[in-house]
Amino acid sequence: MKKADKIILKERKILELEKKIKKSDLKFEILKSAGICLHQGKSKVFDFILNNEKTYSIRLMSEALGINRREYHAWKNVPLNETQKRKILMQKEITSIFFTFERRYGSDRIATELQKSGYQLSAVTVRKYMSEMGLTSMVKKN
């Protein structure tokens, strides 16, 4: 084997390794960003993928997160039912109230605010939704 051929092979190997490093870095970045979603179930992971389709490829995200692409596409193409739409609306309202009152309102007070606005939602349901979204109120220190 000629010296020039050996150099070409080494350069190809270097390029191949650089590609692998870049792909690993992207997967790490995805895992870092989606860490919270991984503990909240497939639908939250699918939401993460949907929200980041413009940043990362679906193939790379599905590999990094251990999700089947067919499952994701099936989930994405199914229209939301009325219960899911209501849940999304309630989560938006809860988030709005939570940040309007500077993260000081817990589930009981948020449920009261929602009831004043005409929604019928218990404090237990508000607590469940807040937990799913990772919202926790600040505890007042004495």
Side-chain angles (χ1 to χ4, degrees):
M1 186 176 267
K2 295 180 184 179
K3 190 175 182 180
D5 290 338
K6 287 182 181 180
I7 292 173
I8 291 172
L9 286 174
K10 284 184 181 181
E11 288 176 358
R12 283 186 185 163
K13 187 70 173 173
I14 289 171
L15 287 173
E16 187 180 308
L17 290 172
E18 285 175 346
K19 270 186 174 180
K20 284 183 179 180
I21 290 170
K22 186 177 180 181
K23 188 174 181 180
S24 294
D25 288 344
L26 284 173
K27 283 184 175 181
F28 177 74
E29 199 175 298
I30 290 167
L31 284 169
K32 197 166 124 181
S33 300
I36 294 171
C37 302
L38 293 173
H39 302 291
Q40 296 177 344
K42 274 190 178 179
S43 65
K44 290 293 181 182
V45 174
F46 291 157
D47 283 334
F48 173 83
I49 293 172
L50 181 66
N51 294 331
N52 290 283
E53 280 183 353
K54 291 186 172 108
T55 309
Y56 309 106
S57 73
I58 294 172
R59 174 174 275 142
L60 186 64
M61 286 189 285
S62 62
E63 280 179 28
L65 301 172
I67 295 296
N68 184 325
R69 279 185 293 145
R70 283 188 180 175
E71 275 186 75
Y72 168 70
H73 287 294
W75 171 86
K76 184 178 174 182
N77 295 326
V78 172
L80 297 175
N81 64 32
E82 291 305 313
T83 305
Q84 292 168 325
K85 289 177 185 176
R86 185 175 191 284
K87 181 177 180 178
I88 291 168
L89 173 67
M90 290 297 99
Q91 287 178 331
K92 286 180 181 176
E93 290 292 326
I94 290 168
T95 304
S96 173
I97 293 169
F98 183 74
F99 287 107
T100 298
F101 291 98
E102 299 174 353
R103 301 178 0 203
R104 288 193 172 92
Y105 274 24
S107 57
D108 294 332
R109 291 170 89 183
I110 290 175
T112 303
E113 289 294 320
L114 287 169
Q115 289 164 0
K116 285 180 187 176
S117 300
Y119 296 107
Q120 294 181 344
L121 207 63
S122 71
V124 173
T125 304
V126 172
R127 187 174 304 118
K128 177 182 152 196
Y129 289 170
M130 288 177 70
S131 174
E132 287 175 4
M133 294 184 292
L135 301 177
T136 54
S137 58
M138 295 188 299
V139 179
K140 186 176 179 181
K141 294 180 181 178
N142 292 329

